[in-house]
């Protein structure tokens, strides 16, 4: 099993555009974006602080100028939320057919919904084992810490490949998410739950 601790990470190539996959993912993305706009409205607020020594003049406080010299107020943005959100897609052979298509649509939908989101950093990786001469290969589809990896065309190259070593791939995703800037982390794994790695 020591071989699987050596992870080969490679940037995912552009895939062939699939209109049906895109349309289905885009419909889901619109619903996700709608839900997130509600979340944004709850968190994107401002704090107003009164009795300040500088800032905007508080006209309501002028009457007390004789007793209180702090007659200004300031407004600043309240701390919002920030999240590093990872999707790990099992690209093993058993994921063929509808399973890999569903995983691809889910990943693409989140990529479309979050591409302009300022609060959620999206990481999308796929993994396979014993493929291309490497015990464990990770495909980097989206990673905000890596320049040039915000291209949704790479999501069309997701497909069922070879074996899988899920535990090691999940452990590596932990390392990937640790590079993110947010304190809050979440990882979603799209898999049929059949690890199979040998050879």
């Amino acid at each position: 099993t020591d071989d699987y601790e050596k992870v080969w990470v490679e940037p995912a190539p552009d895939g062939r555009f699939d209109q049906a996959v895109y349309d289905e993912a885009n419909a889901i993305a619109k619903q996700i974006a709608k839900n997130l706009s509600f979340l944004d409205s709850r968190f994107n607020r401002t704090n107003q602080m009164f009795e300040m020594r500088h800032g905007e003049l508080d006209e309501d406080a002028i009457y007390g100028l004789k007793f209180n010299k702090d007659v200004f107020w300031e407004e600043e943005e309240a701390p919002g939320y920030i999240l590093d959100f990872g999707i790990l897609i099992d690209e093993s052979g058993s994921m063929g057919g509808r399973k890999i298509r569903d995983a691809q649509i889910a990943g693409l939908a989140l990529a479309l919904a979050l591409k302009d989101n300022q609060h959620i950093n999206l990481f999308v990786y796929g993994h396979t084992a014993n493929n291309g001469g490497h015990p464990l290969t990770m495909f980097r589809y989206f990673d905000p810490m890596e320049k040039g990896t915000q291209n949704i065309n790479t999501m069309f190259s997701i497909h069922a490949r070879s074996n899988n070593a899920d535990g090691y791939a999940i452990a590596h995703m932990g390392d990937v998410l640790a590079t993110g800037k947010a304190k809050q982390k979440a990882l979603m794994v799209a898999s049929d739950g059949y690890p199979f790695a040998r050879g």
Side-chain angles (χ1 to χ4, degrees), residues 1 11 30 42 44 77 96 135 148 158 191 193:
T1 60
K30 287 178 181 174
R42 297 289 303 263
N44 292 344
E77 287 190 16
I158 293 172
S191 174

Side-chain angles (χ1 to χ4, degrees), residues 5-180:
E5 293 178 3
K6 298 166 188 164
V7 181
W8 178 263
V9 180
E10 58 184 64
D14 285 357
R16 189 178 65 178
F17 183 81
D18 185 324
Q19 188 67 53
V21 167
Y22 179 84
D23 290 345
E24 197 169 339
N26 197 38
I28 296 168
K30 287 178 181 174
Q31 186 61 46
I32 293 169
K34 183 179 174 184
N35 292 338
L36 286 174
S37 66
F38 171 75
L39 184 63
D40 288 346
S41 71
R42 297 289 303 263
F43 279 93
N44 292 344
R45 306 225 171 170
T46 56
N47 278 337
Q48 291 182 343
M49 296 168 292
F50 295 91
E51 296 189 2
M52 305 294 292
R53 292 192 176 274
H54 52 78
E56 298 290 324
L57 184 62
D58 182 1
E59 294 176 6
D60 293 335
I62 291 177
Y63 73 92
L65 189 58
K66 182 177 178 182
F67 307 102
N68 181 9
K69 306 295 184 206
D70 301 332
V71 293
F72 298 96
W73 67 280
E74 285 186 340
E75 187 173 79
E76 67 177 21
E77 287 190 16
Y81 69 95
I82 184 167
L83 173 69
D84 289 333
F85 186 76
I87 306 169
L88 178 63
I89 299 172
D90 172 3
E91 295 189 55
S92 62
S94 64
M95 285 286 288
R98 186 66 206 183
K99 288 185 277 188
I100 196 69
R101 182 183 167 93
D102 285 346
Q104 181 185 42
I105 289 168
L108 181 57
L110 283 161
L112 290 169
L114 299 176
K115 62 184 166 72
D116 297 321
N117 191 290
Q118 298 177 356
H119 305 289
I120 301 176
N121 302 312
L122 178 65
F123 297 76
V124 182
Y125 279 70
H127 72 97
T128 188
N130 313 129
N131 185 55
H134 303 288
L136 178 58
T137 303
M138 303 277 288
F139 300 97
R140 185 189 305 118
Y141 295 101
F142 260 67
D143 188 329
M145 302 296 108
E146 298 281 341
K147 289 184 177 179
T149 60
Q150 304 296 83
N151 178 5
I152 65 162
N153 293 328
T154 60
M155 305 293 280
F156 294 103
S157 68
I158 293 172
H159 67 276
R161 302 170 195 267
S162 186
N163 299 334
N164 58 311
D166 298 48
Y168 292 99
I170 291 169
H172 184 74
M173 276 302 291
D175 295 337
V176 168
L177 289 175
T179 66

